[in-house]
Amino acid sequence: GAVVSQHPSWVICKSGTSVKIECRSLDFQATTMFWYRQFPKQSLMLMATSNEGSKATYEQGVEKDKFLINHASLTLSTLTVTSAHPEDSSFYICSARDGGGRGKNIQYFGAGTRLSVL
Amino acid sequence: GQNIDQPTEMTATEGAIVQINCTYQTSGFNGLFWYQQHAGEAPTFLSYNVLDGLEEKGRFSSFLSRSKGYSYLLLKELQMKDSASYLCAVNNGGFKTIFGAGTRLFVKA
């Protein structure tokens, strides 16, 4: 149980294009989802917290117009990297918090998306 | 401020026991988590502590002392596949779980 599916796992795109990443909680409802970014050998960097049905809360220094987050349902959140540039190349990881009876507020992570912008 | 400290790197020998320490200072507390992250992969959940004491799960155990703001992850009978980063994380009572920078564990033969 507690599976989070993230797609795509790997994407290469041209500079200036937009990329959408999907994150789904498969066997639980996630009222809160999180988007992280991670550079090689560095720690997780929280980009934004996404609550179902409301606007995402972005961390300081993260451009909300560049990283569009939508959390339209209790099982799906999407991150769109708009007008991607080479410096946006990174490993993006979503996680979903199981706030249900089983949950203990544990965050379960998707497998991550490796984005390379040429 | 909110802070989680853990060693940057540790090295241990296959078959041995290793203890990874974590200290934290957060505005609130609603649980401490340990995650394992292999290079190039996403973190996977290992353990959860909310009350003081030791939680054992197979080769892995996690300990918590809330009064000291301290936890450790104990790995027994180390295997080569245990080479990974281990992340200590604390839920501060709100929406956020704060993650430490991780401890990279190298297991040598």
Side-chain angles (χ1 to χ4, degrees):
Chain A
V3 177
V4 176
S5 173
Q6 183 174 344
H7 293 281
S9 56
W10 178 61
V11 60
I12 299 175
C13 69
K14 291 182 180 179
S15 186
T17 59
S18 294
V19 174
K20 181 186 277 190
I21 303 170
E22 286 192 353
C23 181
R24 293 180 186 274
S25 57
L26 296 187
D27 56 353
F28 65 97
Q29 293 185 331
T31 52
T32 307
M33 288 185 171
F34 306 87
W35 288 95
Y36 294 86
R37 184 173 179 173
Q38 189 175 37
F39 292 104
K41 296 186 179 179
Q42 294 189 21
S43 59
L44 294 171
M45 185 192 85
L46 179 65
M47 299 174 66
T49 302
S50 162
N51 291 300
E52 185 265 337
S54 63
K55 290 183 179 179
T57 302
Y58 290 80
E59 295 299 301
Q60 195 170 10
V62 178
E63 299 174 60
K64 59 181 69 176
D65 293 333
K66 176 146 189 83
F67 299 100
L68 300 179
I69 291 172
N70 183 276
H71 193 159
S73 77
L74 286 172
T75 59
L76 173 65
S77 177
T78 60
L79 167 68
T80 301
V81 183
T82 62
S83 187
H85 290 284
E87 58 266 29
D88 298 324
S89 299
S90 188
F91 189 46
Y92 292 87
I93 313 173
C94 74
S95 77
R97 194 172 74 162
D98 186 345
R102 167 187 68 180
K104 303 175 185 174
N105 290 322
I106 296 170
Q107 283 184 225
Y108 296 96
F109 287 83
T113 297
R114 193 160 304 282
L115 172 64
S116 295
V117 185
L118 304 177
Chain B
Q2 316 213 74
N3 202 44
I4 295 180
D5 288 316
Q6 50 183 131
T8 305
E9 287 186 0
M10 297 182 72
T11 301
T13 305
E14 192 175 18
I17 299 172
V18 71
Q19 178 175 312
I20 303 174
N21 295 323
C22 170
T23 56
Y24 64 90
Q25 292 174 309
T26 54
S27 55
F29 181 83
N30 191 26
L32 184 141
F33 310 85
W34 283 95
Y35 289 83
Q36 180 191 61
Q37 185 178 24
H38 284 101
E41 299 180 12
T44 55
F45 169 73
L46 288 179
S47 70
Y48 168 79
N49 294 72
V50 68
L51 299 177
D52 290 351
L54 189 68
E55 294 282 340
E56 296 185 79
K57 193 188 289 186
R59 293 191 298 117
F60 293 7
S61 303
S62 57
F63 171 83
L64 173 67
S65 168
R66 288 172 297 169
S67 62
K68 294 181 180 177
Y70 168 70
S71 172
Y72 67 73
L73 179 70
L74 194 72
L75 292 77
K76 302 175 187 174
E77 301 170 18
L78 277 175
Q79 302 174 11
M80 299 298 287
K81 67 178 182 179
D82 297 329
S83 293
S85 285
Y86 291 86
L87 310 177
C88 174
V90 174
N91 182 277
N92 66 356
F95 283 119
K96 279 189 192 177
T97 294
I98 302 157
F99 283 82
T103 297
R104 280 195 288 163
L105 174 66
F106 299 94
V107 179
K108 58 183 183 181

